[in-house]
Amino acid sequence: MATILLIVTATLTALIAGLFYAYSCSVVLGLGKLSDMEYLKSMQSINREILNPLFFMSFMGTVFLLPVSTFIYRSQNPVFLLLLLATFAYLIGVFGVTVAGNVPLNDQLDKFDIANSTSQAIKEMRDKFENRWNFLNNIRTVSSVITIVLTVCACVWSKVD
């Protein structure tokens, strides 16, 4: 049962790492080519649509399953250490950055009334949002990749013992 839990944990972690990686190397690059109004409308739409059960299952599932897996493997070094590091990388670099950084930016953008704003106000909103959001997303990307590498190593190491 512990092995199945670890595989599910690794799978959810990989899904999140893939999501943030795809954003970093394609989505934000494509959105960056849009006009200010198109960019803000697109980000508003994406930020609303990502709030769905599939995303929450993988994003919050990882928040829950990494610590549980770490606890289950607490007596198996170095699997425990790998999972502990993965848990910290995810909780701080992915979950923490999302909650403290990206979500407030998304909320601010969601409240912004594009249709009734001047082109100057739209440009200012994009300037306040885009670079900061992309920077935070890159932190999430690196952190989630570190998390999945550590989790895969734990999976492999757990089979060596």
Side-chain angles (χ1 to χ4, degrees):
M1 192 66 179
T3 300
I4 292 170
L5 178 68
L6 189 54
I7 290 169
V8 170
T9 301
T11 301
L12 294 179
T13 303
L15 291 171
I16 289 299
L19 173 79
F20 292 133
Y21 176 76
Y23 263 84
S24 290
C25 70
S26 65
V27 174
V28 296
L29 299 175
L31 291 174
K33 306 253 188 271
L34 299 176
S35 71
D36 295 338
M37 183 179 290
E38 290 171 324
Y39 173 84
L40 293 179
K41 283 183 178 182
S42 295
M43 284 302 291
Q44 280 182 338
S45 180
I46 290 169
N47 290 336
R48 290 172 184 152
E49 292 303 316
I50 201 163
L51 301 176
N52 66 70
L54 286 175
F55 171 75
F56 283 119
M57 181 183 68
S58 53
F59 186 75
M60 295 306 294
T62 304
V63 167
F64 175 73
L65 291 179
L66 271 171
V68 168
S69 294
T70 303
F71 179 78
I72 288 172
Y73 283 92
R74 69 191 175 279
S75 64
Q76 295 183 26
N77 280 328
V79 176
F80 169 75
L81 181 57
L82 291 165
L83 289 172
L84 184 63
L85 292 172
T87 299
F88 284 135
Y90 191 83
L91 292 178
I92 296 167
V94 179
F95 184 76
V97 168
T98 299
V99 170
N102 292 89
V103 169
L105 286 171
N106 293 347
D107 290 345
Q108 186 180 22
L109 178 60
D110 192 54
K111 294 174 186 159
F112 184 70
D113 182 7
I114 297 169
N116 293 313
S117 295
T118 65
S119 59
Q120 181 61 32
I122 290 169
K123 180 182 179 352
E124 288 172 7
M125 182 59 169
R126 181 178 184 167
D127 290 343
K128 284 192 326 191
F129 180 87
E130 184 176 21
N131 289 335
R132 180 81 178 142
W133 195 95
N134 290 346
F135 173 74
L136 293 170
N137 190 66
N138 287 336
I139 292 171
R140 297 187 303 181
T141 300
V142 169
S143 297
S144 62
V145 169
I146 289 168
T147 302
I148 189 57
V149 167
L150 291 167
T151 305
V152 167
C153 289
C155 288
V156 171
W157 206 289
S158 74
K159 295 289 107 232
V160 170
D161 287 343

